[in-house]
Amino acid sequence: MRLIPTSSEHLLWVAIRGGRLGVQFRRQVVLGRYIADFFAAEVELVVEVDGGYHGRVRERSDERRDRWLQRHGYTVLRLSDALALNNIGAAVALIAEQVAALRR
């Protein structure tokens, strides 16, 4: 997963890495028994990029995962891979907005 990210994950990583949003993000971070696509420890923000496989089949699993992460103090932001692929600026803006809200 880390060596071969999806196209949407790669585009998002290029846009948010290096502290570009005022916090450091890391990729493919283990949190308990889960792996977060992106994680900003400073604000405890998990960003997940959901592709087609996150449809109804994965919906319950994703809900369980989100509940576990939230119970452990993390905020989860889910973005569609279509948003990252088709409007990276909007995807980054949503993440930046969440980072700002968590810093208050």
Side-chain angles (χ1 to χ4, degrees):
M1 292 169 92
R2 187 172 200 163
L3 296 177
I4 306 173
T6 64
S7 297
S8 53
E9 289 172 345
H10 175 73
L11 284 173
L12 195 54
W13 177 240
V14 169
I16 67 173
R17 70 181 177 196
R20 291 184 174 124
L21 298 181
V23 294
Q24 291 292 324
F25 278 92
R26 294 180 7 230
R27 290 181 51 236
Q28 301 296 312
V29 176
V30 176
L31 299 171
R33 63 183 182 161
Y34 300 106
I35 299 174
D37 290 338
F38 303 101
F39 179 61
E42 182 180 335
V43 291
E44 296 188 320
L45 175 61
V46 173
V47 177
E48 292 293 319
V49 180
D50 294 343
Y53 64 92
H54 280 272
R56 281 189 286 189
V57 174
R58 298 271 319 174
E59 192 173 313
R60 284 189 194 158
S61 173
D62 287 344
E63 288 172 1
R64 274 193 307 273
R65 170 192 175 100
D66 289 356
R67 280 193 306 272
W68 185 94
L69 289 165
Q70 290 164 352
R71 276 195 315 270
H72 288 84
Y74 303 109
T75 298
V76 179
L77 176 62
R78 288 191 172 276
L79 304 174
S80 72
D81 64 342
L83 180 64
L85 288 170
N86 299 320
N87 193 344
I88 192 67
V92 171
L94 287 171
I95 297 169
E97 187 177 294
Q98 188 67 67
V99 167
L102 291 168
R103 288 187 136 178
R104 291 182 194 140

